Amino acid sequence: MFMGEYNHIIDAKGRLIIPARFRELLGEEFILTKGLDGCLSIYPMDAWEAFETKLRALPLTNKNARTFTRFFVAGATNCELDRQGRILVPQTLREFAGLEKEVVLTGNLDRIEIWSKEKWSENCNYDDMDSIAESMQDMGIII
């Protein structure tokens, strides 16, 4: 399980150090793709394959299903760590997520999210957690 929050720098060539804790769980090969809310997501191969299976089950006749699948798969790329524990984030994905220099990597159970520092600050507003927690009851989460 991925958890935690780490601040890092992405260099001018698009290389990003993956925290050691995350590297242990990723394995040798993994997938980097677009994520929701303007971030990028890294999936270990087993989590990506489970997600891919769900995407394959979506009906091709449904336009939203095609768009949803395209969003995640078209920009996806296989990644490996270099000797320094870095990945190369393709330019198209850096542009999508607004990654310029300061980034935040967050663990999110089965995946890692990569955020620009600015977008992370905008999206991690927890002022309304009470009402969010209440809405989770509809999904079976009771704390």
Side-chain angles (χ1 to χ4, degrees):
M1 175 178 71
F2 296 102
M3 60 183 179
E5 178 181 326
Y6 301 87
N7 292 292
H8 282 275
I9 301 293
I10 192 165
D11 71 17
K13 295 180 181 179
R15 296 175 298 194
L16 175 65
I17 293 174
I18 301 298
R21 259 186 209 193
F22 290 167
R23 291 193 300 253
E24 295 169 9
L25 299 171
L26 277 175
E28 292 187 26
E29 189 178 359
F30 44 91
I31 302 296
L32 172 67
T33 191
K34 293 175 185 174
L36 298 174
D37 301 318
C39 71
L40 301 180
S41 294
I42 298 176
Y43 291 87
M45 289 309 287
D46 60 341
W48 177 257
E49 289 167 359
F51 184 47
E52 184 181 334
T53 298
K54 292 175 185 176
L55 293 175
R56 287 180 188 273
L58 295 173
L60 284 175
T61 55
N62 183 298
K63 183 170 177 49
N64 285 341
R66 292 191 311 270
T67 302
F68 187 80
T69 300
R70 194 176 300 121
F71 175 81
F72 288 103
V73 178
T77 185
N78 285 52
C79 285
E80 294 178 5
L81 295 166
D82 68 11
R83 290 185 194 139
Q84 286 80 33
R86 302 175 300 189
I87 61 169
L88 179 63
V89 180
Q91 181 67 32
T92 55
L93 292 178
R94 290 194 311 258
E95 289 172 3
F96 168 81
L99 304 180
E100 293 179 12
K101 189 168 183 176
E102 294 182 79
V103 299
V104 180
L105 290 92
T106 63
N108 200 338
L109 303 175
D110 66 341
R111 69 185 182 282
I112 300 165
E113 293 179 340
I114 304 171
W115 294 86
S116 72
K117 182 105 175 163
E118 184 179 326
K119 280 187 187 174
W120 175 247
S121 296
E122 293 169 6
N123 280 282
C124 67
N125 179 352
Y126 301 119
D127 293 341
D128 199 22
M129 276 311 296
D130 289 336
S131 69
I132 292 171
E134 286 176 19
S135 73
M136 292 296 105
Q137 288 182 341
D138 297 338
M139 293 184 235
I141 304 290
I142 300 170
I143 54 174

